[in-house]
């Protein structure tokens, strides 16, 4: 056990034998200090070197904990000054509700002029605003406009559900026994599923490693325990997955088979069929995130997992990656009894759904505008993907490796072993480029020398410029050789 020097209150205990990595244990404790008000807005945390010396930990562990909280908006790094608590007001410690009212930190974004590889979202420059305005006007001018502005069903707009189910049936992903629940984005859909599978007690859930933090955070809360399954160019490592299914017996398996976030890898059809069969034999429910599947720029699409098993696979979809993420319209496709249960849980959360956004998006799709926009997105996405691949080849340090996606919004890069991307982030931001270090995506296997590059939001010219800057920063860090290999923090599967 490792005892922290008080900062600023009763110290926690960090367990080096835990399956939870040390950097995440430290990050969780710091998050609690911030949310409770013991660390207040504007207060400066010790430098990573100082904190590492005080705790007898590797400096990379401290940097990873700070980077994790900075990605959540709880910390803000200022060039030459250090890391500060961001946007958390002082909290009065008292009776009643005062003890529970610490306001969550607001996200701290890099300056508007920064080249941003840190956000997996479409470029605002590609939004078809004129077509969207026309869709809004046509919906509000229609005979049902007043009803659209009324309270909506917790299951979603019936016409949109019918449209989504019809599309899924044509693709072979749904049948007559299926239904659709419209949600406020895929994150809410995952939250509802997590509530469902933990309703009767503790649950173990298997997820990809590395994985989008939203997946890890929602399925790692409350009474759930996570098993991370490594991801490579074939998707989830099926050998490790077989061991997890056999020995740890999870209730749920969550996967993004097409253009996985953060790696960009796509699972081949053979591997998909094997994974579905393994899950079926083990009696494990499967959640398929298909939010990037429509963003294929080259190659041939593999069939969705749900085309292989309608009974045990829930499929998540969203308009956010293809069209307008700010409208927050996603959905869950699955067997009718499961959708009914998720709808009941959703009703407990927010009672009703936003019918205006759903109506406008439905009209946008039925008018043919969505398909025209999709073709435009694929053209621009393909150019941006090629730009980031070329720029990685040109500018990343010798010995670097990166994935080669055929679509999606991100790729994964691994730098020479002496480069720690969490430590290099401050220098990159100072130079005007942001990204997310690999440790922000770790479940059980933090990779200090990795990072996610989300390219969809930048033009090819800015992508090339951003990689040129990052290449210089990373080469400088490789030459310093100040970051030894971090202590072992992985769990044995």
């Amino acid at each position: 056990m490792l005892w922290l020097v008080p900062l600023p209150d009763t110290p926690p205990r960090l367990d080096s034998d835990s399956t939870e990595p040390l950097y995440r244990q430290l990050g969780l404790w710091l998050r609690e200090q911030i949310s409770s008000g013991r660390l207040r807005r504007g207060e400066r945390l010790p430098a990573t070197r100082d904190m590492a010396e005080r705790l007898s930990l590797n400096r990379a562990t401290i940097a990873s904990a700070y980077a994790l909280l900075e990605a959540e908006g709880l910390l803000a790094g200022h060039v030459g000054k250090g890391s500060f608590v961001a946007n958390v007001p002082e909290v009065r410690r008292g009776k009643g509700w005062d003890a529970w009212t610490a306001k969550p930190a607001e996200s701290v974004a890099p300056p508007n002029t920064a080249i941003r590889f840190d956000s997996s979202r479409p470029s605002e420059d590609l939004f078809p605003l004129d077509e969207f305005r026309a869709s809004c006007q046509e919906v509000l001018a229609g005979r049902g406009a007043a009803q659209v502005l009324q309270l909506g069903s917790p299951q979603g707009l019936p016409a949109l559900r019918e449209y989504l189910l019809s599309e899924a049936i044509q693709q072979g992903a749904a049948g007559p026994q299926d239904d659709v629940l419209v949600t406020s984005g895929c994150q809410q859909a995952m939250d509802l599923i997590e509530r469902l599978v933990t309703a009767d007690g503790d649950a173990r859930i298997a997820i990809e490693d590395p994985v989008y933090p939203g997946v890890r955070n929602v399925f790692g809360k409350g009474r759930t325990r996570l098993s991370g399954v490594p991801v490579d160019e074939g998707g989830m490592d099926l050998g490790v997955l077989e061991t997890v299914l056999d020995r740890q017996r999870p209730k749920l398996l969550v996967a993004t088979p097409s253009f996985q976030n953060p790696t960009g890898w796509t699972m081949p059809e053979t591997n998909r069929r094997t994974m579905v069969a393994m899950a079926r034999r083990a009696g494990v429910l499967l959640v398929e995130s298909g939010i990037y599947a429509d963003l294929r720029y080259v190659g041939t699409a593999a069939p969705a997992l749900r085309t292989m098993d309608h009974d045990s696979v829930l499929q998540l979809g969203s308009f956010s990656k293809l069209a307008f993420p700010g409208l927050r319209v996603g959905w869950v496709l699955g067997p009718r009894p499961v959708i009914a249960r998720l709808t009941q849980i959703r009703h407990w959360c927010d009672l009703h759904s936003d019918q205006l956004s759903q109506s406008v998006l439905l009209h946008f799709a039925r008018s043919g505008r969505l398909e025209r926009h999709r073709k435009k997105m694929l053209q621009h996405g393909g150019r941006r993907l090629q730009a980031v691949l070329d720029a990685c080849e040109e500018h990343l340090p010798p010995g670097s490796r990166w994935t080669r996606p055929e679509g999606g919004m991100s790729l994964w890069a691994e730098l020479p072993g002496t480069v720690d991307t969490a430590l290099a982030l401050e220098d990159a931001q100072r130079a005007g480029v942001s990204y997310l270090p690999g440790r922000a995506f770790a479940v059980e296997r933090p990779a200090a020398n990795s990072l996610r590059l989300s390219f969809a939001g930048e033009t090819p010219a800015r992508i090339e410029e951003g990689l040129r800057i990052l290449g210089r920063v990373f080469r400088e860090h490789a030459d310093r050789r100040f970051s030894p290999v971090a202590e072992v923090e992985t769990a044995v599967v």
Side-chain angles (χ1 to χ4, degrees):
M1 300 288 184
L2 298 172
W3 283 92
L4 288 182
V5 177
L7 177 73
D9 208 340
T10 305
R13 296 174 66 177
L14 299 185
D15 186 357
S16 58
D17 295 323
S18 171
T19 58
E20 187 83 3
L22 289 176
Y23 80 95
R24 289 189 63 192
Q25 294 182 49
L26 176 59
L28 288 171
W29 183 74
L30 288 171
R31 184 186 296 116
E32 193 278 330
Q33 300 299 303
I34 294 170
S35 64
S36 67
R38 289 189 286 271
L39 277 174
R40 293 187 285 270
R41 183 176 184 268
E43 290 189 338
R44 180 181 181 276
L45 271 66
T48 56
R49 189 183 303 276
D50 295 339
M51 180 74 95
E53 291 177 357
R54 292 172 62 182
L55 306 183
S56 299
L57 292 174
N58 189 289
R59 186 182 171 195
T61 301
I62 309 301
S64 296
Y66 284 11
L68 189 65
L69 296 183
E70 187 166 344
E72 296 178 12
L74 297 178
L75 296 183
H78 296 276
V79 177
K81 297 181 180 180
S83 296
F84 294 80
V85 178
N87 298 316
V88 179
E90 287 193 21
V91 179
R92 291 184 295 126
R93 303 294 292 175
K95 298 180 179 180
W97 291 107
D98 284 351
W100 300 86
T101 53
K103 182 181 178 182
E106 299 173 5
S107 62
V108 180
N112 291 332
T113 55
I115 298 174
R116 300 192 58 175
F117 296 128
D118 62 340
S119 183
S120 182
R121 60 183 181 181
S123 172
E124 296 172 15
D125 295 338
L126 301 179
F127 286 173
L129 295 180
D130 290 340
E131 291 85 351
F132 180 71
R133 290 190 188 98
S135 294
C136 291
Q137 292 169 356
E138 289 160 8
V139 167
L140 293 176
R143 296 176 58 185
Q147 185 62 38
V148 166
L149 298 175
Q150 188 54 270
L151 294 174
S153 164
Q155 194 170 346
L157 186 74
L160 177 59
R161 290 171 42 224
E162 179 182 343
Y163 170 81
L164 294 171
L165 188 57
S166 175
E167 291 287 303
I169 290 173
Q170 290 182 27
Q171 297 164 8
Q177 304 304 316
D178 292 320
D179 205 349
V180 171
L181 166 64
V182 180
T183 60
S184 296
C186 279
Q187 193 69 21
Q188 184 188 55
M190 291 187 290
D191 178 69
L192 298 176
I193 294 169
E194 190 274 341
R195 293 170 189 247
L196 175 63
V197 299
T198 60
D200 59 353
D202 292 349
R204 179 169 288 280
I205 297 177
I207 63 175
E208 296 154 328
D209 189 4
V211 73
Y212 167 61
V215 173
R216 184 192 62 215
N217 294 341
V218 74
F219 286 112
K221 69 181 183 181
R223 295 181 294 179
T224 60
R225 293 170 293 165
L226 298 179
S227 296
V229 181
V231 177
D232 58 24
E233 59 185 311
M236 273 189 168
D237 186 316
L238 297 181
V240 175
L241 177 59
E242 185 175 27
T243 300
V244 169
L245 294 177
D246 180 56
R247 298 182 182 178
Q248 302 185 19
R249 308 190 71 81
K251 283 187 177 181
L252 194 70
L253 171 61
V254 184
T256 304
S258 295
F259 317 124
Q260 192 259 357
N261 185 1
T263 66
W265 286 127
T266 291
M267 181 177 283
E269 179 177 352
T270 301
N271 290 28
R272 295 181 186 220
R273 295 192 180 279
T274 301
M275 183 174 71
V276 170
M278 290 168 58
R280 187 188 300 116
R281 287 196 301 270
V284 174
L285 302 176
L286 231 169
V287 174
E288 174 188 20
S289 176
I291 62 175
Y292 298 101
D294 288 335
L295 297 177
R296 172 169 286 279
Y297 312 132
V298 296
T300 303
L305 300 182
R306 198 158 202 282
T307 64
M308 306 168 188
D309 189 341
H310 288 182
D311 293 331
S312 60
V313 179
L314 295 180
Q315 186 183 71
L316 309 185
S318 173
F319 288 107
S320 294
K321 302 304 179 182
L322 184 60
F324 312 105
L327 295 184
R328 309 306 302 140
V329 178
W331 61 88
V332 187
L333 169 67
R336 189 172 291 115
V338 179
I339 295 301
R341 179 63 175 142
L342 291 173
T343 301
Q344 182 183 46
I345 298 172
R346 195 265 173 90
H347 189 265
W348 296 339
C349 297
D350 58 5
L351 292 180
H352 304 284
S353 60
D354 173 11
Q355 295 197 119
L356 179 58
S357 294
Q358 296 175 43
S359 297
V360 171
L361 279 170
L362 175 61
H363 189 80
F364 189 76
R366 282 180 168 171
S367 67
R369 292 164 180 155
L370 178 62
E371 177 59 21
R372 290 194 295 273
H373 176 59
R374 187 186 72 85
K375 292 178 179 178
K376 177 182 176 182
M377 286 286 290
L378 296 185
Q379 292 174 355
H380 285 272
R383 288 195 285 267
R384 293 171 189 216
L385 172 59
Q386 190 59 52
V388 74
L389 291 173
D390 291 344
C392 286
E393 184 75 41
E394 178 71 20
H395 299 298
L396 289 185
S400 299
R401 299 185 302 170
W402 52 91
T403 60
R404 297 182 179 276
E406 295 182 333
M409 292 186 165
S410 302
L411 63 76
W412 185 255
E414 294 179 357
L415 306 176
T418 55
V419 179
D420 190 299
T421 56
L423 296 178
L425 180 58
E426 182 177 340
D427 288 341
Q429 290 178 331
R430 180 188 301 140
V433 182
S434 61
Y435 61 84
L436 287 182
R439 286 178 179 258
F441 303 90
V443 181
E444 298 176 357
R445 301 163 181 82
N449 64 329
S450 60
L451 70 151
R452 186 189 73 177
L453 292 170
S454 295
F455 55 83
E458 297 290 356
T459 64
R462 284 171 61 84
I463 289 171
E464 200 281 334
E465 174 64 11
L467 264 298
R468 184 187 63 78
I469 293 171
L470 288 182
R472 173 179 56 78
V473 171
F474 294 148
R475 283 192 296 273
E476 291 173 354
H477 276 252
D479 292 340
R480 293 176 190 174
R481 295 186 176 273
F482 59 75
S483 179
V485 176
E487 57 269 73
V488 176
E489 296 177 344
T490 59
V492 177
V493 178

